[in-house]
Amino acid sequence: MLHQPFYDPAKSYEENFQSGPFGAFADGVVIEDSGEPSHEFLGVKLHSLFGIPAGPLLNSRFVKAALRKGFDIATYKTVRTTACPCHAWPNVLAVKLDGDLTLQKAQTPLAADQNYCEPLSITNSFGVPSREPDFWQPDLADAVAAAECGQVVVGSFQGTATGGNEQDYVNDFAHAARLVKETGCKILEVNLSCPNEGAANLLCFDIARAQKVVSAIKNEIGNTPLIIKIAYIADDALLTQLVRAVEKTADAIEAINTIPAAIVNQSGQPALPGQNRLRSGVCGSGIKWAGLAMAAKLKALRGDLYARYTIIGVGGVMNAGDYQDYRKAGADAVLSATGAMWNPYLAQDIKNY
Ligand SMILES: Cc1cc2nc3c(=O)[nH]c(=O)nc-3n(C[C@H](O)[C@H](O)[C@H](O)COP(=O)(O)O)c2cc1C
């Protein structure tokens, strides 16, 4: 059953930012955990190994609402070192899919509208907006301080190219990491599933550059645990190369982000307005297969390489059964964006399963 979403797709990003969250996330009711936290996650004791990834929790009000509803890992939406505007509305649409979004289906245009129904897949198209650090640093610090015993707030960030050279771009990631660490965040997450500025593909597909970025961040933040967030990588040899390149520096690998596809309306025209928005990331139910596959591949690789990274599974977790499937596939912790948006009680459902 779909509840009222805590991010309202009918409203602009700015309206959500100013007035959200909505639905049960706005009722102030705390779902408390009794007893000592018994799970270990990157050096923090948690009540559960479940939460919300970067994206739907726009600011500290959203993060606090998630913590109150028992999402014990709450990720603050990806921030940057400079302000960046959001794409024009709409930013979220329901994607009409028959079954899984296979890579083959993702090559064809997918119809989308504002009719949200199960099994739910959506597209999200924001362009990674960010306020200035002067705004988000105190706001993130406020969110971090709201975590109760058994909970943690993760700070997600990415670098921005300013037309300079590669080193400037790499340095901006390290700068962002320092700004996030200054807020008191205990766990940091770098988004490597972002566009690789100046190149055609995502940063996680550019192994040499991804390695430089991760090393520069680790030099900046020292022992603070670092999660790297990556996309679905179909090519096993490429995934092995990437993991080899980062496994000594990154403490955890989180997968997946969205699977991109052309998104059209009922008349076959681009559904999202503006330049470069025809292709947009799809998430929710239809991508669960890909997230599960990545969890299994990352687990096998960890064994093969005698590596120690924590595996965080994301993609299409809509109910407690999906959470269990991820744990069985190899994920040490599991996160849900789309599922949590439409079910504010998902963490509670998983704890009661
Ligand atoms: C509304 C929304 C906004 C998102 N924004 C971000 C973001 O800022 N940074 C990021 O790394 N991922 C972002 N994501 C991707 C999610 O973290 C997640 O990887 C993806 O949605 C797959 O999970 P799901 O199937 O549970 O939605 C966003 C997802 C949604 C639904």
Side-chain angles (χ1 to χ4, degrees):
M1 172 192 151
L2 299 180
H3 294 254
Q4 181 185 350
F6 65 75
Y7 178 98
D8 184 353
K11 293 184 165 58
S12 69
Y13 171 78
E14 203 49 43
E15 283 173 286
N16 274 281
F17 196 99
Q18 300 294 349
S19 323
F22 302 100
F25 263 33
D27 67 13
V29 176
V30 180
I31 298 176
E32 262 179 278
D33 271 286
S34 52
E36 288 296 306
S38 58
H39 302 278
E40 172 89 17
F41 176 71
L42 296 172
V44 184
K45 285 276 189 193
L46 296 182
H47 284 301
S48 71
L49 295 163
F50 181 67
I52 299 181
L57 305 178
L58 308 189
N59 56 38
S60 60
R61 280 200 319 281
F62 284 76
V63 171
K64 287 177 191 175
L67 293 169
R68 281 198 293 268
K69 289 289 179 275
F71 291 89
D72 295 323
I73 304 168
T75 314
Y76 191 96
K77 186 165 169 61
T78 308
V79 293
R80 299 175 182 259
T81 59
T82 47
C84 183
C86 185
H87 288 334
W89 184 89
N91 304 99
V92 171
L93 288 173
V95 174
K96 308 292 139 179
L97 271 177
D98 190 13
D100 290 344
L101 176 59
T102 59
L103 297 185
Q104 200 182 0
K105 264 190 224 165
Q107 297 307 313
T108 60
L110 304 176
D113 61 22
Q114 295 185 55
N115 183 18
Y116 300 89
C117 48
E118 291 178 289
L120 180 64
S121 293
I122 63 170
T123 186
N124 81 79
S125 170
F126 292 87
V128 194
S130 178
R131 298 292 210 260
E132 291 283 352
D134 281 354
F135 174 89
W136 63 252
Q137 274 199 306
D139 190 54
L140 176 53
D142 191 28
V144 168
E148 299 287 346
C149 169
Q151 303 190 311
V152 72
V153 172
V154 174
S156 163
F157 61 92
Q158 71 183 53
T160 308
T162 48
N165 56 27
E166 185 190 49
Q167 194 55 48
D168 292 339
Y169 183 42
V170 172
N171 291 346
D172 194 56
F173 277 91
H175 182 201
R178 178 157 58 76
L179 295 176
V180 173
K181 188 176 167 174
E182 281 171 5
T183 67
C185 230
K186 290 201 190 81
I187 301 174
L188 270 57
E189 173 178 308
V190 58
N191 184 15
L192 296 184
S193 45
C194 60
N196 182 12
E197 313 274 352
N201 221 329
L202 301 180
L203 183 51
C204 57
F205 293 102
D206 185 342
I207 311 268
R209 196 180 271 186
Q211 189 173 28
K212 280 184 201 163
V213 163
V214 175
S215 300
I217 293 167
K218 206 60 189 170
N219 278 341
E220 192 67 53
I221 66 170
N223 288 336
T224 304
L226 177 66
I227 302 168
I228 64 161
K229 166 102 174 264
I230 62 174
Y232 176 70
I233 300 180
D235 180 340
D236 288 347
L238 190 72
L239 178 64
T240 306
Q241 274 181 49
L242 175 67
V243 172
R244 272 187 199 283
V246 298
E247 59 91 6
K248 292 211 163 46
T249 342
D251 301 277
I253 304 181
E254 177 179 331
I256 61 171
N257 209 308
T258 54
I259 295 182
I263 307 293
V264 295
N265 60 22
Q266 246 63 336
S267 347
Q269 297 303 309
L272 300 162
Q275 283 212 312
N276 299 325
R277 289 184 75 196
L278 173 63
R279 287 184 76 73
S280 174
V282 178
C283 46
S285 187
I287 68 162
K288 180 183 164 191
W289 70 271
L292 279 179
M294 283 293 280
K297 290 198 220 191
L298 288 169
K299 183 168 184 198
L301 267 176
R302 184 171 63 186
D304 293 349
L305 301 176
Y306 300 100
R308 298 166 60 92
Y309 54 83
T310 296
I311 299 165
I312 305 171
V314 196
V317 177
M318 313 304 283
N319 54 47
D322 295 332
Y323 167 84
Q324 295 295 341
D325 290 345
Y326 266 90
R327 297 280 286 147
K328 282 184 208 136
D332 301 299
V334 181
L335 305 174
S336 170
T338 307
M341 278 165 80
W342 270 267
N343 182 5
Y345 304 109
L346 185 54
Q348 195 183 14
D349 291 350
I350 287 168
K351 287 174 185 176
N352 294 339
Y353 191 63

